[in-house]
Amino acid sequence: MMESKQKQTPMLEKIFHLSERGTNARTEMVAGLTTFLTCVYIVAVNPAILSAAGMDTKAVFWATALASAIACIWIGFWANLPFALAPAMGLNAYFAYYVVNTLGLTWQNALACVFISGVTFMLLSILKVQQKIVDAMPECIKLSVGAGIGFFIAFTGLHQAGIITASKDTLLTLGDLSNPGALLALAGIFVMAVLVIKQVKGGILIGILAITVIGIFITNPLTGTSYTQLPETLVAFDNPVKALAPTLGQLSIKGMFTGAPVVVLGVIFAIISFLFVDLFDSIGVLLGVASKAGLLDKDGNLPCAGKALFVSAGGAAIGALLGTNTVTIYGAESTTGIAEGGRTGMTACVTGVLFLLALFFSPVFLMVPSIATAPALVMVGIFMIEPLRNIDLKDISIALPVFLTVAFMPFSYNIAYGILFGMIGYTVGKIAAGKSKELTGTVKVLTVLFIIYLVLDIIL
């Protein structure tokens, strides 16, 4: 250890305390690169999803990469933690397909919802009440929310690829697998799965690139052109102001709270959903990943957890200002860097710098077709169902809210409804089991509010 300490760069040692955590600059750089390779897919996937809300793809690309870079470097320098942050998978689909396309808000309004939830999260962090809120929520709900979002994401990917399609007779059915696009997407799922199982670094990114390359030579029968359209250049030196202009500072609250009561309630619930998902996900990921990195103290607490949560909240607000959905802490992706030895904020800073470098290759990322990003959605969905294994489903009073939470998200195509029915189901289950005393004041208040929302949704 003494030899390692002597080799450290004084400035890096002072900032990141490398020796204290048993690491060095080279290890942290490798860990940062590894983390980046596992989460860089977001700069290709996010523009594809948010474009469904009518947003400019290049602007979203810039907003995604820039917001990720800022958040990663922020948490690295300020909290000295090896976590990556980027726009949340799941919430991007919720943003585009529900808040905009179903609820009827403009994408500018949807960005305002994200911004309000981020600022609220920041206030909760400053007041140090976010942990109390999460602690008051039932453990089974916290665990099942992530899994439900996983199924929501996977369903979105399968439908986007044409692997699952609508049916007049059975509601849903298997898509036309004679369509080369659906076949390519299906192949992409298995390619990514094999690479991840084999623990190949950047497996999801490799899968996206492979399908993108194959798509150059395959013709889309609907358009008569290849699935992958080659750009005129691979490297771009865009003017940042012009590239971001279509989304930068475009969020707006105009018209959000002036519609029918049920629409206004939907807007409020959308804001709450962005907040709750970010809150639960950030804390769950923070503690789970920190334990794998050996960063918890003897009492099982994570020093600087408050700073990390504040960065997650601030990242969401900054992302909304730039023009992207909620920025949050990435769990599985951060774990890959930690597995390579990343233990300090230098890992996060390296990841952030690489996100900035990705901006010079916007033509490469923007040419990625949806049939290449759809398999990534499915794989992320697979990652997110893992918490279900920690739930005792033999107890029906627990299985009920878990099922409602997980099922309603994809079946209603709405993350918020999953949380709503899951909470109501938890309260009903506890009362039926004669355990109403276990219901906290927070749970009771939320249950009443959710029931009121449902009643108003029905009668208005």
Side-chain angles (χ1 to χ4, degrees):
M1 180 66 73
M2 184 64 68
E3 182 181 354
S4 175
K5 183 178 292 188
Q6 292 175 349
K7 291 182 179 180
Q8 306 297 351
T9 303
M11 183 178 69
L12 294 178
E13 178 65 29
K14 182 178 181 180
I15 296 173
F16 300 113
H17 308 289
L18 301 174
S19 298
E20 182 181 320
R21 296 191 183 176
T23 184
N24 55 59
R26 181 182 181 280
T27 298
E28 295 293 302
M29 292 180 69
V30 171
L33 173 61
T34 302
T35 301
F36 174 75
L37 290 176
T38 56
C39 63
V40 67
Y41 65 84
I42 191 63
V43 300
V45 176
N46 216 38
I49 293 177
L50 296 191
S51 65
M55 299 181 72
D56 182 86
T57 54
K58 177 175 283 190
V60 173
F61 168 82
W62 268 79
T64 299
L66 197 54
S68 301
I70 292 171
C72 287
I73 294 172
W74 187 3
I75 200 172
F77 274 115
W78 195 46
N80 197 23
L81 293 171
F83 303 142
L85 294 91
M89 291 294 295
L91 287 182
N92 49 11
Y94 179 66
F95 178 108
Y97 300 117
Y98 175 72
V99 177
V100 175
N101 293 343
T102 300
L103 196 58
L105 295 184
T106 65
W107 59 262
Q108 292 90 340
N109 289 159
L111 287 176
C113 289
V114 173
F115 180 78
I116 293 171
S117 70
V119 171
T120 303
F121 192 177
M122 291 172 73
L123 291 175
L124 293 177
S125 298
I126 293 172
L127 298 174
K128 299 181 179 180
V129 298
Q130 78 275 17
Q131 187 67 55
K132 294 180 181 179
I133 293 176
V134 174
D135 288 344
M137 297 297 290
E139 187 69 16
C140 64
I141 297 294
K142 288 186 283 188
L143 293 174
S144 56
V145 163
I149 294 174
F151 280 105
F152 178 88
I153 295 172
F155 178 75
T156 298
L158 292 171
H159 185 264
Q160 180 179 305
I163 297 172
I164 297 294
T165 59
S167 168
K168 293 182 179 179
D169 299 321
T170 60
L171 298 182
L172 294 173
T173 189
L174 187 66
D176 180 11
L177 295 186
S178 65
N179 184 299
L183 278 178
L184 272 178
L186 190 60
I189 294 172
F190 288 108
V191 167
M192 291 182 190
V194 170
L195 292 173
V196 171
I197 291 170
K198 295 289 187 179
Q199 298 183 342
V200 176
K201 296 175 183 177
I204 291 180
L205 178 62
I206 292 173
I208 290 176
L209 294 177
I211 299 303
T212 298
V213 171
I214 296 173
I216 297 173
F217 308 101
I218 306 296
T219 300
N220 183 341
L222 297 178
T223 64
T225 60
S226 62
Y227 282 98
T228 303
Q229 297 292 303
L230 290 175
E232 296 180 359
T233 179
L234 298 181
V235 180
F237 297 94
D238 295 314
N239 182 318
V241 176
K242 290 184 178 179
L244 276 170
T247 60
L248 180 63
Q250 296 298 310
L251 58 85
S252 172
I253 63 172
K254 184 178 181 180
M256 284 175 58
F257 304 104
T258 57
V262 67
V263 175
V264 174
L265 283 171
V267 171
I268 294 173
F269 206 74
I271 294 172
I272 293 173
S273 297
F274 281 124
L275 172 63
F276 272 25
V277 172
D278 192 18
L279 186 65
F280 296 156
D281 197 45
S282 294
I283 291 180
V285 167
L286 201 59
L287 295 178
V289 175
S291 64
K292 294 180 180 179
L295 298 175
L296 301 181
D297 61 23
K298 61 181 181 180
D299 297 320
N301 299 318
L302 174 64
C304 297
K307 289 183 177 181
L309 291 173
F310 188 84
V311 173
S312 182
I318 291 172
L321 289 172
L322 291 172
T324 187
N325 62 294
T326 305
V327 172
T328 191
I329 301 172
Y330 271 37
E333 293 83 356
S334 296
T335 302
T336 61
I338 289 170
E340 290 295 325
R343 293 294 182 272
T344 75
M346 185 176 171
T347 293
C349 288
V350 170
T351 301
V353 170
L354 291 173
F355 268 118
L356 289 177
L357 293 178
L359 290 171
F360 294 107
F361 299 94
S362 59
V364 175
F365 290 106
L366 293 176
M367 78 175 185
V368 176
S370 61
I371 57 167
T373 57
L377 298 181
V378 177
M379 285 306 302
V380 172
I382 293 171
F383 294 151
M384 294 183 71
I385 66 172
E386 186 266 344
L388 290 178
R389 70 185 181 88
N390 298 316
I391 303 176
D392 180 14
L393 297 178
K394 295 178 182 178
D395 184 346
I396 299 301
S397 67
I398 297 298
L400 172 66
V402 170
F403 171 79
L404 293 176
T405 301
V406 172
F408 267 85
M409 288 189 188
F411 292 165
S412 69
Y413 215 67
N414 188 326
I415 293 174
Y417 280 143
I419 298 173
L420 183 152
F421 282 102
M423 188 64 68
I424 294 175
Y426 179 82
T427 300
V428 170
K430 286 299 180 182
I431 292 174
K435 300 178 180 179
S436 57
K437 292 183 178 180
E438 295 181 11
L439 297 173
T440 65
T442 301
V443 170
K444 292 177 182 177
V445 170
L446 287 175
T447 301
V448 171
L449 291 176
F450 291 163
I451 291 175
I452 292 174
Y453 175 85
L454 279 180
V455 172
L456 293 175
D457 194 11
I458 293 169
I459 64 177
L460 294 177

